[in-house]
Amino acid sequence: MEDHRANANPDHPDLRDYVHWHTAYDDPESSLSIRLRHVQRAISTWLAGTAGPVRILSVCAGQGHDILGVLSQCDAVDRSRVSGALVEIEAADNDVARHRIEELDVNLQVVRADAGLTSTYAGLVPADLVLLSGIMGNVSAEDIERLVHTSRQLCAPGATVIWTRGAQGPDLGPDIRRWFLEAGFEEVSCEEWIEGTGMRVGVNRLVAAPEPLVAGETVFTFYR
């Protein structure tokens, strides 16, 4: 397991500092920047293949680099048809995302809440696009499997899920791909070992019926 404590917050010394963590995006050659570019490409491809209003849900959204970066390159027509929510518990990251949303004038709300609880998503789902980026490398295998299956509760019919998981040991990529199939999602694409990094970006589409949201459940908890 990777040690995520190098920049730990003094209030939570066993947790990664998820605000400082975003500075890696300042380096275009960092693995996070490489992953981000491929996630943004997947979002752009999805958006180009849709018509009419679409609802987006970003889980553990951080500062919203993925979806907001894409929308910053869209014209006003495409931006106007996007709505949805960015769920993130870090207040400082929320502030950055809200500022960018205001600049772009898009209909997205930032929700400060625990993304690992199903109750958080009441009123925010179903979504046509669910972003699960930067989560699966920080939770247990059991939580990842639970998250994959619970994703059906977040989805509108035919929704797309974009997810990421690095190849750090144990490499759960093959298991995650299988769990999505078992949960009723077809695989659209899965990029692995992106640009020489261990990063992986998967795209899956829901082909089974969505499931109703079951409030009061814990889906995942970040490593401590």
Side-chain angles (χ1 to χ4, degrees):
M1 183 186 303
E2 290 181 308
D3 186 350
H4 299 321
R5 298 175 295 172
N7 297 300
N9 185 310
D11 295 328
H12 301 281
D14 291 329
L15 292 178
R16 176 191 285 170
D17 180 348
Y18 284 100
V19 178
H20 182 274
W21 177 81
H22 284 80
T23 60
Y25 289 120
D26 296 334
D27 177 5
E29 301 306 315
S30 72
S31 59
L32 287 183
S33 290
I34 291 170
R35 183 185 72 185
L36 175 63
R37 288 195 292 272
H38 286 258
V39 170
Q40 289 177 333
R41 185 181 303 164
I43 295 172
S44 297
T45 298
W46 174 83
L47 192 60
T50 66
V54 292
R55 187 165 183 83
I56 293 172
L57 174 67
S58 182
V59 179
C60 293
Q63 297 173 2
H65 288 290
D66 42 21
I67 182 59
L68 299 180
V70 170
L71 292 177
S72 70
Q73 301 301 312
C74 290
D75 59 26
V77 173
D78 265 343
R79 288 200 299 270
S80 69
R81 65 190 184 91
V82 172
S83 64
L86 283 64
V87 177
E88 171 58 49
I89 202 167
E90 291 284 354
D93 287 339
N94 287 340
D95 290 341
V96 173
R98 287 193 183 97
H99 178 69
R100 296 190 69 195
I101 287 169
E102 290 175 4
E103 287 185 329
L104 291 170
D105 190 26
V106 291
N107 185 23
L108 292 170
Q109 62 175 310
V110 176
V111 178
R112 187 186 182 196
D114 187 341
L117 306 178
T118 55
S119 299
T120 292
Y121 301 99
L124 305 180
V125 296
D128 301 296
L129 177 67
V130 178
L131 301 176
L132 304 178
S133 180
I135 302 173
M136 296 180 182
N138 301 287
V139 301
S140 69
E142 292 78 12
D143 283 0
I144 296 173
E145 183 176 9
R146 189 178 303 111
L147 173 61
V148 169
H149 285 270
T150 304
S151 295
R152 282 180 64 176
Q153 299 181 28
L154 310 180
C155 288
T160 293
V161 174
I162 298 175
W163 58 275
T164 66
R165 213 286 186 176
Q168 69 267 30
D171 185 1
L172 298 175
D175 298 290
I176 295 169
R177 297 172 73 175
R178 174 172 52 83
W179 292 333
F180 269 107
L181 294 176
E182 292 172 352
F185 293 83
E186 67 177 2
E187 185 170 283
V188 177
S189 64
C190 186
E191 296 183 282
E192 299 185 297
W193 299 97
I194 297 171
E195 298 183 34
T197 72
M199 293 296 182
R200 176 187 287 108
V201 176
V203 180
N204 289 74
R205 182 183 298 111
L206 182 64
V207 291
E211 294 180 343
L213 184 67
V214 179
E217 295 185 348
T218 298
V219 183
F220 61 84
T221 303
F222 271 56
Y223 282 135
R224 291 181 179 273

